[in-house]
Amino acid sequence: MTDKILNTGRWLFPLSFIMYIGLHLGKPDVGAAFVPDYIPFPYFFNYFTAVCILAFMVSALIGKYDKLAYVLIAFYVILMALMVHLPRAMGHELNMQGMTGSVEREKELEMVNFFRNLMVTGALLGFARYVAKDKRIIQ
């Protein structure tokens, strides 16, 4: 019984990313606002991110190229932590339009996002090491 409960993590973790697909597709203005100013075409990257997350989820759920998918999405998540959330937590590129109205509050939220991304990166790498089955690309 315990193994059946623990094995649900293999499904629950990748499925939890569906929220991000919904956010990127349902509120593209929000996703595009997170693209740093020095990167062109923010809407393209918003939708591209949704496609990448969907590809990760499918790969993880069907077990084909899942180790590669976990490593690539981990790389993406840590890049977002370093390129988006950490600079914003330090007060860079904080546009007050559509925010709570407090720069300090936004910086705190971005620091939470930064540490959340670190946690998710660790979980993704753990899944790549201990859960993923397809080792065709990454041994």
Side-chain angles (χ1 to χ4, degrees):
M1 179 68 168
T2 305
D3 283 342
K4 287 185 180 185
I5 293 170
L6 295 177
N7 286 337
T8 62
R10 178 187 183 282
W11 305 98
L12 288 176
F13 185 61
L15 285 172
S16 70
F17 282 77
I18 200 160
M19 175 190 71
Y20 292 104
I21 293 172
L23 288 172
H24 282 271
L25 297 178
K27 298 209 176 241
D29 293 335
V30 174
F34 277 93
V35 176
D37 292 340
Y38 57 87
I39 298 177
F41 313 113
Y43 284 93
F44 167 79
F45 282 102
N46 173 68
Y47 292 119
F48 179 70
T49 297
V51 170
C52 290
I53 294 169
L54 181 61
F56 154 72
M57 288 176 56
V58 169
S59 181
L61 292 172
I62 67 171
K64 299 291 183 195
Y65 297 102
D66 55 348
K67 190 169 196 172
L68 177 64
Y70 278 111
V71 170
L72 289 176
I73 204 75
F75 181 66
Y76 167 79
V77 171
I78 197 68
L79 276 177
M80 292 306 96
L82 296 172
M83 293 174 59
V84 174
H85 299 303
L86 186 59
R88 290 170 64 103
M90 296 185 313
H92 302 288
E93 295 196 25
L94 279 179
N95 179 354
M96 291 307 296
Q97 183 178 9
M99 295 190 172
T100 63
S102 166
V103 172
E104 290 307 311
R105 175 76 173 133
E106 293 304 322
K107 288 166 57 174
E108 290 172 4
L109 290 173
E110 288 299 337
M111 189 55 73
V112 169
N113 287 337
F114 173 76
F115 283 107
R116 183 209 55 227
N117 278 28
L118 289 180
M119 289 188 310
V120 170
T121 299
L124 287 162
L125 293 174
F127 268 71
R129 173 69 174 94
Y130 297 107
V131 175
K133 308 265 188 264
D134 192 341
K135 297 173 173 56
R136 286 185 270 190
I137 305 293
I138 298 175
Q139 298 298 323

